[in-house]
Amino acid sequence: MLLISCPNCGSRDETEFQYGGQAHVAYPEAPDTLTDREWAEYLFYRDNTKGAFAERWLHSTGCRQWFNMLRDTVSYEIQAVYRMGEPRPAGSPEAGATTSPAAGNAGSSASPAAGNSGTSSSPASPEGALK
């Protein structure tokens, strides 16, 4: 059992949370100008990091708030939990590609900013909003 420390509610069982994908992925600045391939890469390509990885989580049965977590994908060790909009903790590794395809990094991976908001019961992610 994994205990996740929600920044609003404290430690809770992992069954109360939903995984929301890679954190800190910017929405394309001009999505209208992207090619189909660049848009597909934005929607579907993700980093597959071994080690520390920044993720988005939703406390779906608690406060229903999104937050970010820095977690080791090998050991499952939770290294940091921080609110949406807060910067990644100092000293944590940067993701391989956190820029949008429109910023000239079209070959890199990115994730949808609102990747887990497809269900009507989940609130929209704050990172899903346009910049």
Side-chain angles (χ1 to χ4, degrees):
M1 177 175 73
L2 184 64
L3 283 178
I4 297 175
S5 182
C6 172
N8 301 308
C9 305
S11 294
R12 298 287 192 271
D13 187 89
E14 67 179 301
T15 58
E16 294 188 12
F17 297 88
Q18 290 182 340
Y19 179 74
Q22 183 177 350
H24 306 291
V25 177
Y27 189 82
E29 293 178 19
D32 305 359
T33 62
L34 298 179
T35 65
D36 288 344
R37 177 164 179 83
E38 290 170 333
W39 184 249
E41 289 175 354
Y42 167 73
L43 290 176
F44 303 113
Y45 282 34
R46 307 291 182 274
D47 288 343
N48 188 15
T49 303
K50 182 177 183 181
F53 187 64
E55 306 168 328
R56 299 176 324 133
W57 285 82
L58 171 67
H59 193 184
S60 57
T61 62
C63 62
R64 300 178 54 83
Q65 298 294 311
W66 287 92
F67 62 92
N68 292 324
M69 178 189 313
L70 190 64
R71 183 178 64 90
D72 189 310
T73 58
V74 176
S75 67
Y76 295 99
E77 176 191 4
I78 298 172
Q79 299 172 344
V81 174
Y82 51 103
R83 296 177 191 273
M84 299 300 277
E86 292 181 359
R88 186 188 310 251
S92 65
E94 291 290 325
T98 57
T99 59
S100 69
N105 202 5
S108 65
S109 61
S111 70
N116 202 20
S117 62
T119 59
S120 60
S121 62
S122 299
S125 168
E127 284 188 342
L130 297 174
K131 289 183 94 182

